[in-house]
Amino acid sequence: MRKALIVLLVFLTAFYTFNSEEIYKKDIRNRLVIQGIGIDVEDDKKYSVTIQAIDTNAQSATSSDSASQPPLKTYKTKGDTIYTALKSVTETEGKIPLYSQNRIIILGKSITEENMADVIDFFVRDVENSSSVYIAAAEKTAGEILEAKNGQEYISARSIETGISSYEYDARIFELQLFDLINRYNSGTKDFAMPLLSLKEEKGEKSVEISGTALFNSTKYREKLSKDETIYLNILYDKLKNTALAYDIDDNKKVSLNVVDSKTTRTVKIKNGQPVFKIKVKMEADISEISGGVSSAMKSKDIEKIALMGEKYVEKETKNLIYSLYEKYNSDSTGLGRLIYICYKDFYKKNEKNLDSVLQNSIYEVEVDLKIRRIGHEFIMG
Amino acid sequence: MEKTKGKISAFQFYVMLFLSRTLTTVTYLSSYTENIRLSDMLVQPIFRIVIGTLIMLPVFRLYRKHRDKNILELLNEKSQTLAKVVSILFLIYFFYFTVVTLARLDLFAGTIVFPETDVEYMLIFAIILCCYGAYLGLEPLGRSSVISSVLVIPALIFIMLTLVDKVDFLNLTPIFYNGVMPVVRVAVDSVGQTVEYGIIALMLPRVTGKWRKGYFIWLFSQVSLMAIMFFFACTVMGNFASTQLFPFHTMASLAEFSMFTRLDAIFTSVWIMCAFIKAGLLIFLQTDILTTYFGRFKRVYYIVAIGILTIIANLFISQQVRWFNIADNSIIKIFITGLSVFIIPLFILITGRKGREKCEKHS
C-alpha cells in the first residue's frame, strides 16, 4: 500500500509540476508585475486604465545593477469595464497581469466626482487583489500621476505607497485601504475619506504630493481637507499615532510639540431626543521647539501652561473640523453616526432617513487631555 | 482489523474533533449568515451551546446504559435489517460530509490560492493522503491530531494577536437588530454543519476516559474559538467580511507582524492540516461501517473504493460553482444530523424502555 501510494504521489507531482501551461504562468518573465493602477473615465464613458508595472524584460537584462528601483513601464488601455481594459494589456504586451504585487489604486477626478460604486466591484471580486492595497484620489487624472516622470525615471507607485503608509509618523497624511473602503461603503452608516494626490512641477522637476484628504459623501467626492485639518480627522478616527503640532502660547512665542501617542474615545447619549457626542482625546507629547530664543530653564507652571494651551488648541481645531464635516460638507466620514446605530438602534431606525440632519443638529463635546512627556535638553525648575 | 477496533483516549478523540470542527469554522462561508448582522455572530455561539447540549442528550443517556456498544450494535440486537439501514444512513452522512469538506478545500484552492491553476491534481492528491490517513487507523489519526493541534492552535492565536491593532469597535453592529429568530436559525445551521456530533454518536464506546466532561470541554472550546474569530472578523473588517467568500482567510491576509505580511499562508496550512484530519477520520468511519456490516473484502479495498467515489464526486462538483451551492446545502445537513444524532438514539432509547416494560409484564 505504502509503495503504491508513493509511486502515485510522485507521478501526480511530476505531472502537475511539468505541465507546460503551469510553467508558462509561473515564469515571471511572462507576467506583468503590476505596481499601481490608475482609473479614469473618458468622455466616451469608457474606462481608461493606466498601469504601472515592473518591466521584467529590462529587469532581467539589468539584473546585475544595484539600482534600488526596478525599471518601470506604464500602459494605458481602454475598455467598457475595468476588467476588459486591464485584460487588453495582455493583447499589447503578451503578458499575464499579476495583481498581487499591486501597491496602490488611484481614482481620477472623473471617477470620484461621479458614482464610485461602479469601480469597486472589480477590486472586491478579483481574488488576486490584495485587500490591504491603498486607495487614493487624484486631484485631476489618475493617469497623469502614474505616468509622471522625474527625469528619465517614472515616479514609482511604490514611493507613493510609502508616502501614504507614513501616516503613522505624520498624521497630516490620511490612509485608506481597500478593505476599509468596502467596509464603509457597504455599512450604509459611514462615509469615507482618502488621501488626495496631486502632480507638482517645479523647475521642470515633477513630483507626486499628498496634498490633503478627499472627503466623500456617500460615494461622491465632496471636499478637500487641508493637511492640517487631516490631523484632526485622524484624531476623530482614532488613527493619530505621531504628528507635529504648532500653536501660539504668547504673542511672540510659538511652541512645537511632537505628539507621540493619542487615544480617542467616542461615546453618544440621547438627551431630549438629541444625540450628544462626547469625544475624549488623550495625548502625550514632547516639546520639540519654543520660538523666541533659548530660555535658561523651564518651570513646571510653564509646562502646565503649554499643555493647557495645547488642549485648548486641539479642542478648538477638532470642533472646527466637526463643524465643517457635518454643517458644511455633510459628510460623516468619521463614523459618529454609526455610534447611534450601535448604541441606540430604535432611535437610529426612526431617524435612518434623515440622519444627516440629525448629525447636523447634534451636540459635540470635545475634551482634550494633553500630557507633556519630555521637554528636551532643557532643565526644569520648581 | 486490530487497528479498526482500537480504542482512543478522550483527550486524543476530542482534540481530533476540535481540529475537525476548526476546519468548518475557518472555512466558514459568509453566505450562511446573510440574514443577520455581524455582531449577532458573537452571541450565536451561546445558542449553539444550548442546542449542542440538547441534541446530545439521547446519545449520552444511551451510552450511560450501554457503554460498550455503539448505536449500530445496539440496533443490530433488535433487528439486523434495521441496523443495516441505519448503517447505510451513517455511510451517506459521513460520505456526504467528506465530499463537502473536500469540495470546500477545492473551492478555496481554486478561487483563492491558485486562481489560475487547475486544482484537480491537488484535490486528488489530498484525497489520496486522506485515504492513507484512514488506512493508518484511529490511533495514528488521534496522535497526528495532537501533534497538529500544537501547530494549529498557536498559529490561530498568533494570527489573531497580530490583528489586535486593527480592531475598530465602530465596526460592530447592534445585537438582534432583526430579532432573535434569525440568530437561532443560524445557530441551528451551524449545528447542522457539525458532523462531529455524528462522529461522537457513533464512536463514544471506543473512547476511554472522561468522555462526557471531554464533550463539554470540546463544545465550549470550539464555540469559543468561533466567537473569538468572529469578534476579530467583525471588528477588523466590518462589512467587508460579508463581501468575502472566505472571510477568515481574508482576515488572515490582513494580519501582519513586523516584516511578515503574508500570514494567510499560515492560515492555509492550518486549513490543510485540519482537512487531512477531518477527511481521514470520516473515510476511516465509512470503512469501519463497511467492514463491520457489509464486510466481504479487505479493509484496504473499501478505502480505495471510497477514495475513488470521493474523487469522482468532487471532480463533478468542482466543474461548476453552482454544484457546490447545491451540495453544501444547510437543510440537508440539518436533516441528516438531526436524524442520525437525535432521532435514532432517541428511538433506541424509547424502544429499549418499551421492550423492558414488555419483558417485565411478561415475567
Side-chain angles (χ1 to χ4, degrees):
Chain A
M1 172 77 179
R2 197 169 292 177
K3 277 179 190 167
L5 191 78
I6 290 167
V7 170
L8 194 63
L9 292 182
V10 167
F11 174 75
L12 268 173
T13 313
F15 191 77
Y16 186 69
T17 314
F18 300 114
N19 183 330
S20 60
E21 196 188 337
E22 296 306 322
I23 289 174
Y24 181 83
K25 282 178 189 168
K26 279 167 193 161
D27 189 342
I28 196 74
R29 286 169 301 181
N30 301 322
R31 305 302 300 262
L32 195 68
V33 186
I34 294 176
Q35 296 279 282
I37 298 173
I39 305 165
D40 297 291
V41 176
E42 300 274 302
D43 294 336
D44 57 1
K45 300 282 172 199
K46 286 200 170 187
Y47 287 104
S48 164
V49 177
T50 311
I51 294 168
Q52 193 181 85
I54 292 175
D55 188 351
T56 44
N57 294 334
Q59 170 82 333
S60 50
T62 60
S63 56
S64 57
D65 290 359
S66 58
S68 58
Q69 184 179 303
L72 299 168
K73 214 172 169 182
T74 60
Y75 305 86
K76 205 163 193 143
T77 56
K78 270 176 84 169
D80 290 327
T81 61
I82 296 169
Y83 181 70
T84 52
L86 282 167
K87 197 82 179 162
S88 57
V89 181
T90 312
E91 292 163 20
T92 55
E93 190 66 13
K95 291 182 177 183
I96 306 161
L98 180 74
Y99 301 105
S100 56
Q101 298 300 309
N102 184 26
R103 309 271 174 170
I104 190 164
I105 297 165
I106 304 170
L107 305 169
K109 200 177 174 184
S110 52
I111 298 275
T112 54
E113 286 194 340
E114 292 302 315
N115 196 356
M116 252 183 63
D118 295 339
V119 302
I120 287 177
D121 185 73
F122 170 74
F123 295 103
V124 181
R125 197 172 298 280
D126 192 278
V127 290
E128 271 199 30
N129 272 306
S130 162
S131 312
S132 53
V133 64
Y134 285 112
I135 308 276
E139 257 185 16
K140 289 177 186 165
T141 66
E144 69 168 14
I145 304 274
L146 288 176
E147 285 176 324
K149 276 185 169 180
N150 190 2
Q152 291 295 307
E153 286 191 343
Y154 283 106
I155 297 169
S156 68
R158 190 179 186 169
S159 66
I160 301 170
E161 182 221 21
T162 310
I164 295 172
S165 63
S166 67
Y167 75 95
E168 289 195 1
Y169 309 101
D170 183 4
R172 289 164 14 113
I173 295 166
F174 191 80
E175 65 89 33
L176 181 72
Q177 291 174 339
L178 180 67
F179 78 93
D180 202 22
L181 170 73
I182 311 298
N183 168 29
R184 288 171 174 273
Y185 170 74
N186 260 13
S187 73
T189 51
K190 287 191 282 192
D191 293 322
F192 50 83
M194 61 178 77
L196 191 63
L197 304 175
S198 61
L199 193 65
K200 291 267 153 125
E201 191 166 0
E202 266 178 40
K203 295 173 189 170
E205 296 235 327
K206 282 183 179 172
S207 64
V208 174
E209 192 190 57
I210 302 166
S211 56
T213 303
L215 215 56
F216 286 75
N217 179 343
S218 184
T219 53
K220 285 186 182 174
Y221 173 74
R222 186 75 175 82
E223 192 60 52
K224 173 187 169 179
L225 287 185
S226 72
K227 281 177 141 185
D228 286 334
E229 284 175 308
T230 303
I231 296 175
Y232 305 98
L233 187 69
N234 273 320
I235 286 178
L236 290 170
Y237 259 86
D238 191 26
K239 269 188 177 177
L240 189 143
K241 288 184 180 159
N242 198 309
T243 196
L245 273 183
Y247 53 91
D248 295 325
I249 44 170
D250 278 322
D251 286 345
N252 303 320
K253 273 191 176 177
K254 232 180 176 48
V255 66
S256 293
L257 299 184
N258 177 29
V259 178
V260 291
D261 194 21
S262 173
K263 178 80 199 147
T264 307
T265 48
R266 298 151 289 188
T267 52
V268 65
K269 273 187 180 154
I270 307 287
K271 282 182 186 167
N272 304 322
Q274 194 181 27
V276 179
F277 291 97
K278 264 197 178 163
I279 296 144
K280 281 187 181 176
V281 186
K282 277 191 172 180
M283 285 177 146
E284 272 187 29
D286 298 342
I287 298 175
S288 302
E289 185 185 344
I290 302 171
S291 65
V294 180
S295 52
S296 54
M298 282 190 90
K299 291 179 180 168
S300 294
K301 65 173 187 179
D302 295 333
I303 298 168
E304 265 173 42
K305 186 183 167 188
I306 289 171
L308 196 70
M309 308 246 352
E311 284 171 0
K312 280 185 182 165
Y313 177 76
V314 174
E315 192 181 308
K316 191 185 97 193
E317 293 298 322
T318 311
K319 276 189 173 171
N320 283 346
L321 180 71
I322 291 171
Y323 169 78
S324 302
L325 289 176
Y326 294 107
E327 295 275 328
K328 274 164 72 183
Y329 311 140
N330 217 6
S331 168
D332 181 26
S333 57
T334 61
L336 287 176
R338 193 173 169 86
L339 267 182
I340 303 175
Y341 166 69
I342 298 169
C343 305
Y344 295 94
K345 68 175 178 188
D346 294 333
F347 182 87
Y348 177 82
K349 277 181 181 172
K350 212 189 277 177
N351 296 284
E352 200 176 348
K353 282 176 185 156
N354 60 337
L355 196 65
D356 284 347
S357 67
V358 169
L359 289 170
Q360 273 177 10
N361 297 316
S362 298
I363 296 167
Y364 298 91
E365 293 170 1
V366 181
E367 203 181 298
V368 182
D369 177 16
L370 174 64
K371 282 196 175 81
I372 303 291
R373 196 183 65 150
R374 303 268 188 275
I375 58 161
H377 271 304
E378 254 181 278
F379 180 67
I380 309 179
M381 268 180 68
Chain B
M1 206 65 190
E2 197 54 39
K3 280 174 190 168
T4 60
K5 291 294 171 193
K7 295 229 170 195
I8 186 168
S9 73
F11 174 70
Q12 280 187 347
F13 178 66
Y14 286 112
V15 167
M16 190 159 63
L17 293 192
F18 178 79
L19 291 187
S20 172
R21 174 61 218 192
T22 299
L23 180 74
T24 317
T25 304
V26 297
T27 58
Y28 151 83
L29 294 162
S30 36
S31 56
Y32 291 136
T33 52
E34 55 193 347
N35 294 326
I36 65 170
R37 308 258 160 158
L38 287 170
S39 297
D40 289 336
M41 290 306 285
L42 302 177
V43 288
Q44 179 260 123
I46 298 167
F47 295 103
R48 270 193 51 204
I49 290 180
V50 175
I51 300 167
T53 307
L54 292 177
I55 200 172
M56 292 305 283
L57 285 179
V59 172
F60 285 163
R61 180 103 182 127
L62 198 65
Y63 288 133
R64 208 173 64 176
K65 287 181 181 170
H66 313 280
R67 190 64 193 94
D68 52 346
K69 284 175 189 161
N70 71 19
I71 291 173
L72 298 178
E73 286 160 346
L74 287 169
L75 275 174
N76 205 30
E77 284 176 0
K78 291 182 196 299
S79 150
Q80 285 190 350
T81 322
L82 193 62
K84 280 201 172 172
V85 170
V86 174
S87 64
I88 290 169
L89 176 83
F90 269 96
L91 264 179
I92 295 168
Y93 181 27
F94 294 142
F95 179 72
Y96 171 70
F97 269 91
T98 313
V99 171
V100 169
T101 300
L102 292 162
R104 274 198 201 192
L105 185 71
D106 171 59
L107 184 71
F108 170 69
T111 316
I112 314 280
V113 188
F114 311 113
E116 296 166 348
T117 311
D118 289 335
V119 290
E120 280 88 359
Y121 304 111
M122 201 208 81
L123 189 68
I124 296 170
F125 209 93
I127 294 171
I128 293 170
L129 282 179
C130 295
C131 287
Y132 184 62
Y135 171 75
L136 290 177
L138 189 59
E139 275 184 62
L141 274 175
R143 280 199 300 272
S144 320
S145 304
V146 174
I147 295 164
S148 303
S149 69
V150 176
L151 302 170
V152 168
I153 297 166
L156 288 175
I157 292 171
F158 176 67
I159 288 171
M160 284 185 273
L161 283 179
T162 59
L163 286 165
V164 168
D165 255 10
K166 291 187 163 70
V167 166
D168 182 358
F169 289 102
L170 266 191
N171 285 331
L172 291 171
T173 56
I175 287 168
F176 303 135
Y177 192 84
N178 295 328
V180 182
M181 276 324 284
V183 187
V184 176
R185 264 198 294 275
V186 170
V188 173
D189 277 1
S190 187
V191 170
Q193 285 175 48
T194 314
V195 67
E196 290 72 22
Y197 292 119
I199 299 173
I200 295 170
L202 204 63
M203 284 188 67
L204 269 186
R206 287 190 181 189
V207 180
T208 56
K210 293 176 178 172
W211 53 276
R212 207 173 301 144
K213 189 181 167 190
Y215 171 77
F216 286 105
I217 293 172
W218 168 78
L219 181 66
F220 188 75
S221 54
Q222 51 107 342
V223 160
S224 305
L225 175 76
M226 195 173 195
I228 293 167
M229 290 196 68
F230 270 111
F231 170 78
F232 280 99
C234 293
T235 53
V236 171
M237 295 191 290
N239 286 70
F240 180 65
S242 51
T243 67
Q244 296 297 294
L245 184 62
F246 295 107
F248 290 134
H249 177 266
T250 309
M251 180 176 87
S253 72
L254 293 174
E256 50 190 28
F257 175 70
S258 183
M259 57 193 270
F260 305 105
T261 53
R262 296 304 303 261
L263 299 189
D264 50 328
I266 299 177
F267 194 81
T268 306
S269 57
V270 165
W271 191 324
I272 291 167
M273 251 188 279
C274 294
F276 168 74
I277 301 288
K278 183 168 192 160
L281 179 63
L282 289 171
I283 293 172
F284 167 81
L285 285 169
Q286 291 165 64
T287 317
D288 200 41
I289 293 170
L290 282 170
T291 44
T292 313
Y293 294 94
F294 308 90
R296 284 183 195 165
F297 307 105
K298 273 185 172 178
R299 223 179 116 240
V300 67
Y301 295 131
Y302 288 115
I303 293 178
V304 171
I306 293 164
I308 291 169
L309 281 176
T310 312
I311 289 171
I312 292 168
N314 276 294
L315 289 180
F316 178 72
I317 292 170
S318 175
Q319 285 171 13
Q320 283 187 48
V321 74
R322 73 189 181 97
W323 291 127
F324 176 80
N325 281 342
I326 293 166
D328 196 35
N329 186 301
S330 290
I331 294 167
I332 299 175
K333 288 178 183 172
I334 293 167
F335 174 75
I336 201 163
T337 306
L339 189 64
S340 318
V341 178
F342 188 75
I343 306 287
I344 293 170
L346 194 66
F347 169 77
I348 300 171
L349 268 179
I350 293 168
T351 51
R353 184 175 291 174
K354 279 186 178 167
R356 263 201 317 278
E357 281 169 4
K358 251 186 194 175
C359 267
E360 279 164 15
K361 257 187 190 175
H362 193 72
S363 63

